[in-house]
Amino acid sequence: MVPDKYRGGRCLTVRASGESGDNLSPIAPVEFESPVGQLLAQILRTHPHLLPAAVDQQLDNLQSDKDDQKEETPPNQDLLYKRIAEIKEKERRKTLKEIIYCLIVQKFVDNEISMIPKVTATSDPTRRVDFWPNQEEKLESVHSPEALEMIQSHVSLVLGDRVVGPLSTIVEITKIKLGKLYAASIMYGYFLRRVDQRFQLERTMKTLPEDFTKDQARFEFPNPEKQLWDPDSLIMIPPDDGDGGGYTDAEGKSYRLRSYVMYLDSETLQRYATIRSKEAISLIEKQTQALFGRPDIRILDDGSVDTSNDEIVSITFSGLTMLVLEAVAFGSFLWDAESYVESKYHFLKS
């Protein structure tokens, strides 16, 4: 049984090095609700080196619980038993979701990256909210050189004219727009990690297509089945401009991930851009809402959407860049965590 001290919603926190007492700083904005999630959060906070073994143990427990339930299934299930089974399955899925989130947070901790805290109003006269440390180099270092090239293009595309001018320049933007930008960038990071793994595997096996660098058509990031952002926020991948970069083999041939992505057929791209699990989709929503809050949206009598009450905040170009880079890293870690959990506890539909 999990001790009472692990119960109740709790934000993942970490003790500052060299300090004593209860001086704790949050390292993840989403609060854990399940006893297992809170237990893992406590382990990550106090004994991070024990987290991998603890995660494996909890996944084994989930599998055992699932197997036991199947063995106990009576020939003729009554409504009460079905309801109990549904509740247990819901609890397992909540636990699974928080295990995945804890693995994501561990990736940030291992790379010594402080996650951006909840975006709230400040006493700053300009209403600026981005007073977090600049960690661009750390956030960029978690990707392969080929993926980083595409991420830099992504930042330029989604921020548009905002990247022109001093990084300290302050702009005003609504929280809804920030949330859409963040969620879209998580999706991009998830997609990019997935396709980059295939690219790196084919590169290692020396099975990269001979003519994939010839395909220079513009590629539009495909719509996922569950759209989390507006059409005007879709990610575009510009054609290969031949300006160098990418991977060069022993024979001097240059291979770029961007060209490889454009070479893939539309069905493969659609599959790679689709989030595989409900748990991952839910985590994207929870992470975004934990940072920016629930959007204040009203449906008017004529059916139109009113967002006039949405909070406007001020943020620098540098802060916007940090938000996008963190979101892309979160999406990449989400793919890694989801894949690891699937290898231990099969929950993805084929």
Side-chain angles (χ1 to χ4, degrees):
M1 180 175 295
V2 178
D4 290 340
K5 66 179 179 179
Y6 297 133
R7 302 190 182 279
R10 180 171 301 182
C11 183
L12 185 57
T13 57
V14 65
R15 191 182 307 278
S17 177
E19 294 184 3
S20 59
D22 295 326
N23 185 10
L24 303 175
S25 301
I27 58 173
V30 174
E31 293 186 352
F32 290 81
E33 299 174 354
S34 72
V36 170
Q38 292 164 17
L39 174 60
L40 292 177
Q42 183 76 356
I43 292 173
L44 179 57
R45 180 173 67 87
T46 57
H47 302 88
H49 62 287
L50 299 178
L51 185 69
V55 165
D56 287 350
Q57 180 61 57
Q58 293 302 329
L59 291 174
D60 287 342
N61 293 345
L62 284 180
Q63 188 63 56
S64 298
D65 182 65
K66 190 174 184 178
D67 293 341
D68 291 343
Q69 185 175 330
K70 287 181 179 179
E71 293 177 1
E72 296 171 359
T73 303
N76 298 317
Q77 294 187 29
D78 56 23
L79 292 178
L80 178 59
Y81 184 89
K82 287 182 178 179
R83 179 57 180 159
I84 293 175
E86 290 173 357
I87 293 175
K88 287 185 176 180
E89 178 62 20
K90 185 176 181 180
E91 291 176 349
R92 279 196 296 269
R93 287 195 168 275
K94 176 186 285 188
T95 299
L96 194 65
K97 180 171 62 180
E98 296 193 350
I99 288 175
I100 293 173
Y101 188 75
C102 209
L103 288 172
I104 294 171
V105 176
Q106 182 194 26
K107 287 272 194 174
F108 281 98
V109 173
D110 288 347
N111 287 281
E112 299 182 345
I113 299 172
S114 301
M115 296 183 72
I116 294 173
K118 182 178 181 179
V119 175
T120 57
T122 66
S123 58
D124 187 81
T126 64
R127 292 187 296 186
R128 181 186 167 192
V129 295
D130 59 314
F131 290 101
W132 46 77
N134 188 310
Q135 302 176 100
E136 287 189 30
E137 289 188 7
K138 291 181 179 180
L139 287 167
E140 291 175 346
S141 68
V142 303
H143 306 285
S144 70
E146 296 83 8
L148 180 58
E149 179 191 19
M150 290 184 64
I151 291 168
Q152 291 169 340
S153 295
H154 166 75
V155 171
S156 298
L157 286 167
V158 297
L159 297 186
D161 295 337
R162 297 185 179 92
V163 296
V164 179
L167 292 177
S168 59
T169 302
I170 296 177
V171 295
E172 291 189 340
I173 188 171
T174 65
K175 279 190 174 182
I176 286 182
K177 288 184 178 180
L178 277 179
K180 288 178 179 178
L181 175 62
Y182 193 87
S185 296
I186 291 179
M187 291 285 293
Y188 185 74
Y190 183 96
F191 161 79
L192 194 58
R193 178 75 101 200
R194 191 174 188 178
V195 75
D196 188 39
Q197 281 188 353
R198 171 171 166 167
F199 173 78
Q200 300 298 340
L201 176 61
E202 291 204 43
R203 188 190 77 171
T204 302
M205 301 296 293
K206 300 186 183 302
T207 57
L208 286 171
E210 288 292 332
D211 59 345
F212 84 86
T213 56
K214 297 178 182 179
D215 189 347
Q216 304 297 323
R218 180 175 291 273
F219 162 67
E220 182 173 308
F221 187 62
N223 266 321
E225 293 179 1
K226 287 187 175 292
Q227 190 174 358
L228 298 179
W229 62 90
D230 288 339
D232 59 1
S233 296
L234 287 176
I235 291 88
M236 300 290 293
I237 297 178
D240 190 341
D241 53 15
D243 60 354
Y247 160 71
T248 303
D249 66 9
E251 298 177 358
K253 293 181 180 179
S254 179
Y255 298 95
R256 306 183 73 182
L257 179 58
R258 181 161 51 186
S259 299
Y260 179 77
V261 169
M262 291 187 286
Y263 176 85
L264 300 175
D265 61 86
S266 58
E267 182 179 347
T268 300
L269 288 172
Q270 181 65 57
R271 177 164 53 86
Y272 275 42
T274 301
I275 301 295
R276 296 182 295 178
S277 67
K278 294 180 180 179
E279 289 77 12
I281 292 173
S282 177
L283 284 176
I284 294 174
E285 295 173 349
K286 287 179 73 70
Q287 172 70 9
T288 304
Q289 290 182 3
L291 283 176
F292 308 106
R294 289 183 175 273
D296 188 356
I297 297 175
R298 293 183 300 165
I299 306 299
L300 303 180
D301 294 337
D302 61 0
S304 61
V305 178
D306 178 18
T307 60
S308 58
N309 291 332
D310 187 35
E311 183 180 354
I312 297 177
V313 297
S314 297
I315 187 170
T316 62
F317 293 164
S318 177
L320 279 172
T321 302
M322 276 283 295
L323 275 174
V324 172
L325 290 177
E326 179 187 278
V328 173
F330 188 97
S332 298
F333 296 158
L334 175 58
W335 166 261
D336 293 340
E338 186 187 52
S339 299
Y340 179 79
V341 170
E342 169 65 13
S343 71
K344 301 289 184 178
Y345 176 84
H346 300 301
F347 70 103
L348 297 177
K349 294 182 180 180
S350 58

